[in-house]
Amino acid sequence: DVLVAGKNFGCGSSREHAPIAIKGSGVQCIVAESYARIFFRNAVNIGLPILTCPEAGAIEDGSELEVDLASGLIRDRTAAHDYQAQPLPAFVLAIVEAGGIVPYLQKHDIESLE
């Protein structure tokens, strides 16, 4: 499932509990027009893919979406329309693909950032 939202999604959420709950509900990716910065980072930290797409508001409820995180391409199969989101930078994509910051650091044998 993909959660599609409007502007400043996650505003007021300063802890990781909000993206954890969204991920726990089965959401595989969030696409929104914009995000609260701390929400964006918390989502990345727990391995929840999150794309910024200025046209997200045009996506209809129930649309079948295909998302490419590396390119930022969002294919709306229902409306036969493509949207371009900002692709995730390589280092963010690596964290998300690892399942979050902790698994990423464990995978790379990084014990501290000192």
Side-chain angles (χ1 to χ4, degrees):
D1 289 342
V2 177
L3 175 64
V4 179
K7 295 178 183 173
N8 206 22
F9 186 76
C11 179
S13 171
S14 64
R15 297 186 184 201
E16 66 279 355
H17 296 83
I20 287 171
I22 292 169
K23 186 176 181 181
S25 74
V27 169
Q28 300 292 309
C29 179
I30 301 175
V31 175
E33 293 177 38
S34 63
Y35 299 90
R37 284 183 279 174
I38 196 160
F39 180 89
F40 186 94
R41 189 57 206 194
N42 284 336
V44 169
N45 286 348
I46 63 145
L48 178 61
I50 190 167
L51 290 176
T52 303
C53 178
E55 297 178 287
I59 300 171
E60 296 287 330
D61 286 346
S63 292
E64 183 180 335
L65 302 178
E66 179 182 325
V67 178
D68 184 321
L69 299 174
S71 70
L73 181 67
I74 302 165
R75 179 157 285 139
D76 184 338
R77 292 183 180 174
T78 305
H81 186 77
D82 292 345
Y83 300 93
Q84 185 60 55
Q86 296 173 9
L88 293 178
F91 77 97
V92 173
L93 187 57
I95 293 169
V96 168
E97 288 176 344
I101 192 72
V102 171
Y104 175 84
L105 294 174
Q106 290 170 334
K107 178 180 177 183
H108 292 87
D109 292 327
I110 300 173
E111 294 182 21
S112 86
L113 299 176
E114 295 178 18

